[in-house]
Amino acid sequence: MCGIVGYAGGRKAAEIIYEGLLRLEYRGYDSAGIAVLKDGKISAVKRQGRVCALGGYIKDMDGKLGIGHTRWATHGSPSDINAHPHSAGKFTIVHNGIIENYSQLKAEYFDGEKFTSETDSEVVVRLLDKFYDGDITRALFKVASLLNGSYAVAAVCTDFDGVAVIKNKSPVIIGYGNDGNFIASDAPALAGFCGEISFLKDGDCALVTRGGVSIFDSAMQGVLRERVKNSATNASLDLNGCPHYMLKEIREVPASVVNTCNAYSSAEEKLKSVVSGCDRVIIVGCGTAYNSGLIAKRYIEKFARIPAEAEIAGEFRYNRPVVTPTTAVIAVSQSGETADTLEAAKLAYSLGAKVVAVTNAPYSQLTRCAHAVVPVVAGHEICVAATKSYTGQIAALYLIAHTLAGRDIGEATQKLFKISRLCESAIETEGIDSLAHMCARSVGTYFLGRDLDYAVAVEGSLKLREISYIAGGGYPAGELKHGTLALVDENVVAVVIITDKRLADKSMNAVEQVLARGGKVAVISNIAETEKELQGRAQLIKIPDCDENLSPLVSAVAVQLLAYKTAVLLNRDPDKPRNLAKSVTVE
Ligand code: M6R
């Protein structure tokens, strides 16, 4: 949430920072700004709107060091004034996170003074200016000691030929380039600029200059942080001829399944020892990651016969969860940064549970809150709507369920390889265009299914709501008659997912109940009998026949494409849906 970039080097800073911000826009895109330092003077530009709103100013911004920000508003509406950077005295800062005690700090240190913006961040720069005694590091640590909340604060100061940064909870990476050094919220910002990066830990402060990087831990002692290869490359940012990242990433679903399988063996032994003897599993996550937990619950109960439940991380952390040393808590998160999921994992850890992280971000904070880490290898996911990370999560969770069952994963892996090829053919599924037209014309679209199909229905509904802004929900098909049926009319679409032969007749009851009331129905299915029974009375989207436990991977592709095509028909930007950001690092 919010992206920050900083650079100190031999090139024009504004250009590099602008490029980095464009790549971090998935973290927030309601306003943006850049500040550069030249000859002891800071010049800044900030504008409401997307990063490209800054484009016209870059050529006039000279200076070889600076900072930039792309915002997802928390305090204060998106506006030029509230956009970052913020300045006071010799300092200019950008901030990612939330300062929870900002009003107390304002009252205590600046009583009666007029602030320029409505942001929580402005108090940070004012405090820096207040406590600065000629030593930037000391000022940063002093200010940090007063702050409650999450922050990655990058600062430039007219006295210092570099960028200073301090962090708590919000991520910061350091990038080592050939012609200068960098800071950023996430690796894609530095693709092509830095082959090597390192990750700051909470409490760390770094001074980044053209000549080098000095890092200090929370005790203000100099430390080294491991340098690793930057996995984000220019190729990972390429749209590969697709009009949007979402489509590109749906096309990468097969690879996410295969790569996640291939990486599983690196985690398997550790996982086995961590979960050995566990008699209960709770899967926690938010949004799509929670929805993959709905699938995991079913896998774990089915294969391992261990009681399992999926819980929304933000609920888990506040409902005094009952866990014991024989409870495994599986925290699922694409980014490994989601605040609620991190706190849920930390809480479970502190209560003695065995915590397993399932994440697409190998160096993320979540990996540091877990006894074992199972990688999802989906590659960088840029679109705000999760697609390939969801299928990667399902693959990882399927294998975890086999490990919990004490089974060898060889056969399961082969099944996943096979299904990845079916996902490839599902990308060409026919009929999605016309269903997308139907959904785009609807005032509401809701999804129904049973068991695993229900879990995909929940995800399909989230995807459609998120990027097309069409209201709806995902419900168990059997629940239809207990309330949701009241929605049915000619302007509402029901999408029923039917891939489970055992339950197909039951799900068809829901189809009949909607049709009988004049509602519009589409069925996503791979069952021949379903097609016969429909007799053309509802639109049918045929997906490839497959192992019924793995059908969510195939039907996921269909619902993702449906959401994508509907959003495009409605002229929505599927990569950057309104009001949202990809990594939700605040509560
Ligand atoms: O990075 P995470 O997997 O923890 O993110 C969780 C949710 O914020 C995320 O899945 C969100 O729901 C997606 N935008 C859905 O497409």
Side-chain angles (χ1 to χ4, degrees):
M1 224 143 225
C2 298
I4 64 173
V5 183
Y7 171 71
R11 295 172 55 187
K12 190 167 172 173
E15 279 172 4
I16 288 181
I17 293 165
Y18 180 70
E19 177 64 38
L21 293 178
L22 284 172
R23 298 167 183 190
L24 287 187
E25 260 194 333
Y26 59 86
R27 300 181 68 89
Y29 33 86
D30 62 44
S31 51
I34 293 177
V36 293
L37 177 70
K38 189 181 179 213
D39 300 333
K41 279 206 189 90
I42 292 171
S43 53
V45 58
K46 49 188 196 167
R47 288 289 175 269
Q48 182 179 348
R50 296 201 173 171
V51 172
C52 62
L54 306 176
Y57 301 90
I58 302 303
K59 67 174 184 339
D60 299 325
M61 297 183 84
D62 287 331
K64 295 187 173 164
L65 73 90
I67 51 178
H69 188 266
T70 179
R71 180 170 187 243
W72 184 85
T74 60
H75 294 67
S77 58
S79 67
D80 288 357
I81 297 275
N82 290 331
H84 296 216
H86 296 283
S87 301
K90 295 183 168 194
F91 284 90
T92 294
I93 65 145
V94 291
H95 165 223
N96 165 27
I98 288 187
I99 308 302
E100 286 165 0
N101 58 338
Y102 81 103
S103 29
Q104 293 95 302
L105 291 169
K106 263 167 109 166
E108 187 172 345
Y109 293 99
F110 307 102
D111 195 25
E113 287 183 34
K114 198 167 158 21
F115 273 49
T116 314
S117 73
E118 303 158 294
T119 65
D120 54 336
S121 312
E122 191 178 344
V123 78
V124 178
V125 72
R126 294 215 177 206
L127 286 168
L128 274 175
D129 185 48
K130 185 178 188 66
F131 289 109
Y132 180 57
D133 60 3
D135 183 330
I136 292 180
T137 321
R138 204 158 46 224
L140 277 167
F141 276 115
K142 168 68 187 167
V143 173
S145 73
L146 302 175
L147 305 178
N148 292 339
S150 57
Y151 50 86
V153 173
V156 286
C157 169
T158 50
D159 291 348
F160 174 57
D161 226 12
V163 174
V165 63
I166 193 159
K167 76 146 242 147
N168 181 46
K169 296 186 182 166
S170 302
V172 177
I173 59 172
I174 302 290
Y176 307 89
N178 290 333
D179 193 8
N181 295 306
F182 296 74
I183 63 123
S185 298
D186 207 351
L190 306 186
F193 294 127
C194 304
E196 279 195 336
I197 55 178
S198 52
F199 294 81
L200 291 191
K201 295 197 170 157
D202 281 349
D204 281 358
C205 171
L207 298 179
V208 175
T209 63
R210 181 176 182 177
V213 176
S214 314
I215 305 176
F216 306 91
D217 66 11
S218 54
M220 295 178 72
Q221 298 302 310
V223 282
L224 294 174
R225 296 289 175 225
E226 188 192 359
R227 284 163 75 141
V228 297
K229 190 165 167 267
N230 185 6
S231 62
T233 59
N234 283 333
S236 57
L237 303 175
D238 194 346
L239 277 162
N240 283 348
C242 291
H244 299 100
Y245 280 111
M246 183 167 182
L247 185 58
K248 178 199 175 206
E249 289 165 3
I250 294 173
R251 290 187 177 157
E252 290 169 350
V253 159
S256 86
V257 173
V258 170
N259 294 338
T260 299
C261 286
N262 287 335
Y264 187 75
S265 57
S266 66
E268 196 184 2
E269 284 314 307
K270 181 75 189 288
L271 175 71
K272 271 186 195 160
S273 70
V274 166
V275 298
S276 151
C278 283
D279 54 11
R280 185 166 159 244
V281 181
I282 305 172
I283 308 106
V284 294
C286 300
T288 292
Y290 164 75
N291 292 345
S292 71
L294 292 174
I295 292 179
K297 165 196 160 61
R298 287 159 174 82
Y299 285 160
I300 292 164
E301 293 195 333
K302 191 165 197 166
F303 303 141
R305 304 302 298 156
I306 297 175
E309 58 209 283
E311 185 143 21
I312 290 169
E315 291 294 308
F316 176 87
R317 61 184 284 204
Y318 289 120
N319 67 7
R320 302 178 63 223
V322 180
V323 299
T324 70
T326 56
T327 307
V329 172
I330 303 179
V332 186
S333 171
Q334 184 283 130
S335 61
E337 275 186 47
T338 300
D340 280 331
T341 310
L342 283 175
E343 292 307 320
K346 285 181 195 162
L347 175 67
Y349 200 111
S350 71
L351 294 173
K354 303 294 181 306
V355 180
V356 178
V358 176
T359 180
N360 192 33
Y363 299 99
S364 59
Q365 291 197 64
L366 186 62
T367 62
R368 296 195 280 275
C369 315
H371 298 95
V373 178
V374 175
V376 169
V377 188
H380 289 279
E381 193 176 62
I382 308 280
C383 176
V384 167
T387 53
K388 60 178 180 171
S389 63
Y390 175 63
T391 49
Q393 285 161 3
I394 295 172
L397 292 162
Y398 180 76
L399 294 173
I400 291 172
H402 281 75
T403 298
L404 281 163
R407 295 188 191 176
D408 179 77
I409 57 146
E411 197 186 329
T413 306
Q414 289 311 314
K415 285 184 178 171
L416 283 165
F417 286 157
K418 189 167 168 204
I419 205 89
S420 74
R421 295 190 284 277
L422 296 178
C423 291
E424 205 147 344
S425 45
I427 294 170
E428 306 307 328
T429 300
E430 282 173 22
I432 301 225
D433 287 287
S434 62
L435 178 53
H437 277 278
M438 200 159 125
C439 294
R441 283 193 299 267
S442 75
V443 297
T445 295
Y446 55 99
F447 290 70
L448 302 166
R450 284 178 186 266
D451 199 27
L452 287 168
D453 291 336
Y454 156 64
V456 179
V458 175
E459 173 60 9
S461 169
L462 171 63
K463 213 91 305 175
L464 189 72
R465 286 198 307 277
E466 182 179 16
I467 60 168
S468 71
Y469 322 148
I470 293 172
Y475 306 101
E479 279 289 289
L480 181 65
K481 54 197 174 294
H482 297 291
T484 305
L485 202 50
L487 289 177
V488 168
D489 71 19
E490 66 282 7
N491 298 314
V492 168
V493 175
V495 179
V496 188
I497 304 171
I498 309 180
T499 68
D500 187 338
K501 292 197 179 74
R502 187 178 51 106
L503 299 170
D505 286 350
K506 306 281 178 203
S507 296
M508 273 303 289
N509 289 345
V511 174
E512 297 294 350
Q513 287 157 14
V514 178
L515 287 174
R517 286 158 183 85
K520 290 200 166 75
V521 186
V523 175
I524 297 176
S525 181
N526 53 10
I527 300 177
E529 293 72 36
T530 303
E531 184 176 3
K532 275 188 219 138
E533 272 182 60
L534 281 175
Q535 294 174 334
R537 291 175 302 143
Q539 181 167 1
L540 177 67
I541 307 291
K542 283 203 264 183
I543 55 172
D545 193 10
C546 62
D547 179 308
E548 65 186 19
N549 290 318
L550 290 173
S551 67
L553 289 166
V554 180
S555 46
V557 171
V559 296
Q560 289 170 356
L561 282 170
L562 174 62
Y564 172 74
K565 291 180 183 229
T566 308
V568 170
L569 281 173
L570 292 169
N571 274 325
R572 319 284 195 218
D573 178 348
D575 288 344
K576 297 188 186 90
R578 70 182 180 201
N579 304 333
L580 300 180
K582 191 155 184 73
S583 305
V584 186
T585 54
V586 297
E587 271 195 67

